[in-house]
Amino acid sequence: MKKIHVGAMAVATAAALVMTGCSTGGAEASSDTIVIDMWAGSQSDTDALNAQLAIAQEQNPDLKIELRTAPWGDFFTKLTTNTASGNMACVTGMNSGMLSSYTAGFAELTDADLKTAGLDPADFAPGSEEILSNKGTMYGLPFDIATMLVYYNQDMLDAAGAAVPQPGWTFDEFEATAKAATTDGKYGFAVGMGDFQWQALPIAKSGTQPVETDGTLDLTNPDFVDAATWYSGLVTDEKVAAPVASASDAGWGETQYSGGNAAMAVDGTWNAVTYLDNDSGFNAGMTTLPTGDNGSLGLILGSGFGIAKDCENKEDALKVLGSLLSADAQDYIASSGRSYPARVSSQPLYFESIDEQHRDQVEAVFTKAFEQVEGQKVSDNWSKVGTYIQPQLVSVYNGQESMSNVLESAQQQFGE
Amino acid sequence: MSNTKQIPRRGTLARAESRQALGFVSPALAGLALFTVVPVVLSIVMGFFNWPTFGEKTFVGLDNYVKLFTQSPDFWPALRNTFVFALLYVPISVGLSLLLAISLSARIRGRGMLRVLFFIPVVTPMVANVLVWKMMLQPQGLFNGLSQTWFGVELPNFLADPQWAMIMVVMMSVWQGLGYNMLIFSAALEQLPESVVEAARIDGARGFRMLWSVTLPMISPSLFFASIMTMITALQVFVQPQLLTGGGPGNATQPLVQFIYNQGFKFQELGLAAAAAWILFAIIIILTALQFRAQKKWVHYEH
């Protein structure tokens, strides 16, 4: 019988090992440790986070702070499982576009909380409070802000003799440039597949978002439908953009642009530096979204940190959050050129980090682009809406389906 | 070492050995329990719950199943796509790989090389394969480029057309999976008993007659194995449509597994995903059982 005990022991030990193996990823590595969970796609991302963690550590010498990272895509899958198993890190990174699916995991940030964290929203760029808010409840504050821009390939525009877009340009000028640059099998524009990328121009043109303030889906808003139909018409009617090849090309417009197949594309400010230093070697430029009869409405997006609802050590977590968004940490983000900081006083440092030949343009375009922005409104099932619409867009761009039909059937399916 | 001496000792020894064996397999058993039995049982339970990733889980009985069959706009198309894919993929894949194996069973020069070539897609990562196929199929890709310069004909946008997209997913999958079945058939063909083949030859069997009445019955166990495995992988298809067409255009190439993935990991409706997964499991088990029943008629195990 002794050996059976040995066997049972082995099972128990193995199981114990496996189980502890599972739980070391959890938040409660030790109860007085504040865990920060954030996405990081590369070593340089992790290094930058560690530098911010060092700032937080310096400001809170008595706290133990720990960093956990995962690449962008995995981060949200992991967050889903961590939240489900009650292991969400006290200080968790969040992005404006993803928040609506995760509000259940985050605690509301009240004025008292912000005071504990040592943060004053007035120090942040206008609209910052809306970035990590959902239906009027604030769940976090951003460390960076972003909006959508039109990027252009200076070389292609010059070769086609098209006028170089200036900040504040109009939709007519946009169409003229796209038409002029469509020559020799190259296209003047590349349509987007991602929610932000394809909706940016329709939102700017119509001056309205496809969701109401209370989170009601409003995809069939006539102004938005008209603008979206005009957008898909760039491929099907105007033929100034190539039809998308496959629904799996989630970054179609951006790759067409960076691959030199299209002269213009819409993408976020977060990619400004990447495009300026593009691998293909063309001269890249940027400008604001075009202006139409309804102005040029843009979305203010961004990423930041929030506090987990079931965080046991909320006060300490708030202090860490405050440090991560402190002027020191924001100055670091800005001067490293990683992203455009939300704290107004740190923003000039970002422009200083940009290569001198692009600096004035980036500063002019960014300043102009953030003038007319509002927080993104999303419905509760916004990720479902996006997942439904994206593969349908392929049919729209290939002329097999109309934009208004797709928006209407999405509204019917997800509208309640 | 006579038998009589061993009989009394064998009992205790065997018992001791089986105890030791239990000790040795226990880590594996623990792993099996933790990573297979628990999730499987949990998924059965989940199928009967409204199970959001966070928030209240509520027992809903068979509601998830009812919802799938009557309300979900994507479930029936996903089921249809899975069957269309399997119906196209299984016969083409098994037939083509059999043809290849037979053509390469003759002792021609360079057949080892050819076998390696056909096997390469099986071992290369699917992501890389899909990338190459995409580069060939998209409008600015190889096929359309060649067709336009040579014939001046513009090819359809393969991956964005509802009919073509499914055909391309099947084509890519056949190309990807061909080598594996070919290897199984080749191995079976190499092992045909000489005596039977020779006897058939003396009796005058040649060509198609030889193939139909002698070779195929002899390799029927391999055929059976290959068709069952191919059918199961076909019903579980996910990577090819996910990467090649993204399930689109619309939901024209979204198979059941991608539907399950979307429900579970994009929409966080784990209960619905678990229910759909069990429907898929039932389909696979039933079809496999039917194939096992049918094998009595056409599979010959004795040489």
Side-chain angles (χ1 to χ4, degrees):
Chain A
M1 290 313 272
K2 223 177 182 178
K3 273 165 191 153
I4 288 187
H5 284 303
V6 173
M9 280 282 280
V11 172
T13 323
L17 269 176
V18 169
M19 281 166 177
T20 47
C22 284
S23 64
T24 43
E28 57 284 276
S30 100
S31 62
D32 57 344
T33 304
I34 299 295
V35 180
I36 304 170
D37 198 3
M38 188 60 198
W39 58 86
S42 63
Q43 190 56 46
S44 73
D45 288 356
T46 313
D47 292 344
L49 284 171
N50 275 319
Q52 294 165 53
L53 185 142
I55 292 169
Q57 190 70 73
E58 202 183 316
Q59 294 181 1
N60 306 282
D62 48 329
L63 295 180
K64 262 193 271 176
I65 312 176
E66 203 181 285
L67 177 68
R68 230 160 55 185
T69 64
W72 170 266
D74 300 339
F75 175 84
F76 290 97
T77 317
K78 234 178 102 185
L79 182 58
T80 305
T81 43
N82 279 342
T83 312
S85 58
N87 275 334
M88 190 167 153
C90 270
V91 180
T92 294
M94 200 16 86
N95 172 269
S96 54
M98 305 296 288
L99 177 68
S100 66
S101 311
Y102 296 93
T103 47
F106 283 97
E108 180 182 352
L109 275 191
T110 60
D111 289 344
D113 290 338
L114 289 176
K115 213 167 177 189
T116 314
L119 295 172
D120 181 0
D123 294 339
F124 290 77
S128 291
E129 285 167 90
E130 296 173 49
I131 291 176
L132 292 177
S133 292
N134 189 266
K135 294 183 195 165
T137 309
M138 184 160 77
Y139 296 97
L141 266 184
F143 55 79
D144 68 2
I145 56 174
T147 190
M148 305 306 286
L149 298 177
V150 173
Y151 292 91
Y152 57 82
N153 183 325
Q154 178 91 51
D155 300 344
M156 283 175 79
L157 293 186
D158 288 349
V164 170
Q166 298 299 325
W169 62 334
T170 65
F171 272 96
D172 291 340
E173 287 171 313
F174 167 79
E175 271 188 61
T177 308
K179 267 180 202 156
T182 305
T183 48
D184 296 338
K186 305 279 185 188
Y187 288 93
F189 181 65
V191 283
M193 287 286 281
D195 289 350
F196 293 133
Q197 282 82 1
W198 85 261
Q199 286 170 11
L201 288 185
I203 289 174
K205 195 171 165 61
S206 64
T208 177
Q209 292 192 45
V211 180
E212 288 170 29
T213 313
D214 62 357
T216 317
L217 206 57
D218 194 18
L219 286 165
T220 44
N221 178 316
D223 291 340
F224 184 79
V225 172
D226 282 350
T229 306
W230 164 83
Y231 183 73
S232 63
L234 292 171
V235 186
T236 49
D237 303 333
E238 307 288 341
K239 309 220 185 281
V240 295
V244 175
S246 158
S248 63
D249 289 316
W252 173 261
E254 302 87 278
T255 49
Q256 289 293 302
Y257 168 72
S258 52
N261 291 321
M264 294 188 289
V266 171
D267 203 2
T269 46
W270 56 85
N271 272 332
V273 176
T274 318
Y275 288 134
L276 289 174
D277 310 334
N278 65 79
D279 295 333
S280 312
F282 61 82
N283 283 313
M286 66 191 77
T287 189
T288 57
L289 298 178
T291 309
D293 299 339
N294 301 307
S296 177
L297 179 66
L299 301 183
I300 186 165
L301 312 164
S303 302
F305 292 104
I307 304 288
K309 197 177 256 174
D310 43 6
C311 176
E312 286 170 13
N313 217 340
K314 193 173 173 187
E315 197 161 317
D316 289 346
L318 280 167
K319 283 182 194 159
V320 173
L321 177 101
S323 299
L324 288 172
L325 300 173
S326 66
D328 286 352
Q330 286 278 281
D331 284 353
Y332 168 78
I333 293 182
S335 53
S336 69
R338 298 191 63 82
S339 54
Y340 190 54
R343 201 176 261 274
V344 176
S345 64
S346 306
Q347 286 175 350
L349 288 171
Y350 174 77
F351 300 122
E352 277 171 37
S353 76
I354 306 273
D355 196 84
E356 207 167 329
Q357 56 168 329
H358 302 300
R359 191 177 298 160
D360 292 343
Q361 184 188 35
V362 174
E363 185 164 0
V365 172
F366 272 45
T367 313
K368 179 96 181 146
F370 282 103
E371 269 172 17
Q372 201 178 352
V373 288
E374 64 176 31
Q376 188 195 14
K377 300 171 197 162
V378 294
S379 60
D380 287 339
N381 49 12
W382 189 240
S383 68
K384 281 190 199 184
V385 178
T387 308
Y388 171 78
I389 290 182
Q390 186 173 321
Q392 304 283 349
L393 280 179
V394 179
S395 305
V396 173
Y397 295 145
N398 282 277
Q400 290 146 348
E401 187 60 85
S402 76
M403 184 63 105
S404 53
N405 273 351
V406 168
L407 293 176
E408 196 164 315
S409 68
Q411 177 72 30
Q412 260 172 15
Q413 207 170 315
F414 304 104
E416 285 104 62
Chain B
M1 295 299 272
S2 73
N3 267 342
T4 45
K5 260 188 189 171
Q6 277 189 355
I7 288 168
R9 288 188 55 202
R10 189 188 251 169
T12 48
L13 192 66
R15 245 180 288 151
E17 273 189 350
S18 65
R19 264 187 259 132
Q20 284 164 346
L22 196 69
F24 280 115
V25 298
S26 55
L29 279 181
L32 183 77
L34 202 67
F35 295 114
T36 305
V37 178
V38 172
V40 165
V41 172
L42 192 64
S43 77
I44 300 178
V45 176
M46 280 170 123
F48 296 107
F49 277 80
N50 176 12
W51 194 299
T53 322
F54 11 81
E56 202 80 351
K57 304 165 179 67
T58 43
F59 181 78
V60 293
L62 288 171
D63 270 13
N64 283 332
Y65 292 88
V66 175
K67 206 169 166 185
L68 283 177
F69 283 112
T70 57
Q71 286 168 33
S72 170
D74 285 333
F75 180 72
W76 281 110
L79 209 57
R80 180 202 64 206
N81 293 335
T82 301
F83 278 112
V84 168
F85 177 84
L87 279 175
L88 290 172
Y89 173 71
V90 177
I92 298 177
S93 174
V94 171
L96 263 184
S97 49
L98 183 63
L99 198 73
L100 268 181
I102 291 172
S103 336
L104 292 179
S105 70
R107 303 203 172 277
I108 51 170
R109 276 184 71 188
R111 67 173 185 150
M113 193 63 195
L114 283 171
R115 275 184 189 162
V116 171
L117 275 182
F118 285 116
F119 199 68
I120 283 179
V122 181
V123 288
T124 49
M126 189 84 90
V127 181
N129 293 344
V130 169
L131 216 66
V132 173
W133 274 79
K134 252 173 128 171
M135 282 157 77
M136 298 195 296
L137 291 172
Q138 61 192 12
Q140 301 112 312
L142 180 75
F143 289 158
N144 197 27
L146 287 182
S147 140
Q148 274 183 329
T149 42
W150 288 352
F151 312 109
V153 179
E154 172 143 15
L155 296 179
N157 191 352
F158 288 117
L159 300 176
D161 182 281
Q163 267 83 40
W164 278 110
M166 181 53 102
I167 294 174
M168 287 306 152
V169 170
V170 172
M171 246 176 82
M172 194 247 141
S173 308
V174 167
W175 169 85
Q176 156 96 26
L178 208 56
Y180 182 74
N181 283 344
M182 183 198 72
L183 208 69
I184 294 172
F185 296 144
S186 292
L189 287 168
E190 296 287 312
Q191 293 192 336
L192 284 184
E194 273 303 309
S195 55
V196 180
V197 177
E198 217 157 277
R201 226 170 247 145
I202 291 169
D203 285 345
R206 291 282 181 277
F208 182 74
R209 183 84 201 158
M210 181 78 168
L211 177 73
W212 186 253
S213 306
V214 180
T215 313
L216 284 186
M218 300 265 263
I219 64 163
S220 55
S222 303
L223 267 175
F224 176 64
F225 171 77
S227 51
I228 284 215
M229 295 310 285
T230 312
M231 185 206 73
I232 293 176
T233 49
L235 292 173
Q236 295 177 339
V237 65
F238 171 69
V239 186
Q240 298 94 313
Q242 166 86 1
L243 293 175
L244 198 62
T245 62
N251 57 14
T253 55
Q254 185 187 75
L256 201 50
V257 179
Q258 199 182 3
F259 172 85
I260 294 168
Y261 170 81
N262 282 349
Q263 294 300 324
F265 297 105
K266 281 195 169 164
F267 306 161
Q268 297 162 358
E269 303 230 23
L270 298 179
L272 215 57
W278 276 94
I279 293 171
L280 176 65
F281 173 76
I283 293 170
I284 291 179
I285 281 291
I286 291 169
L287 287 180
T288 310
L290 286 179
Q291 276 186 305
F292 264 95
R293 186 167 292 181
Q295 68 153 333
K296 292 186 189 116
K297 297 219 170 73
W298 64 277
V299 181
H300 310 273
Y301 283 102
E302 67 285 350
H303 278 149

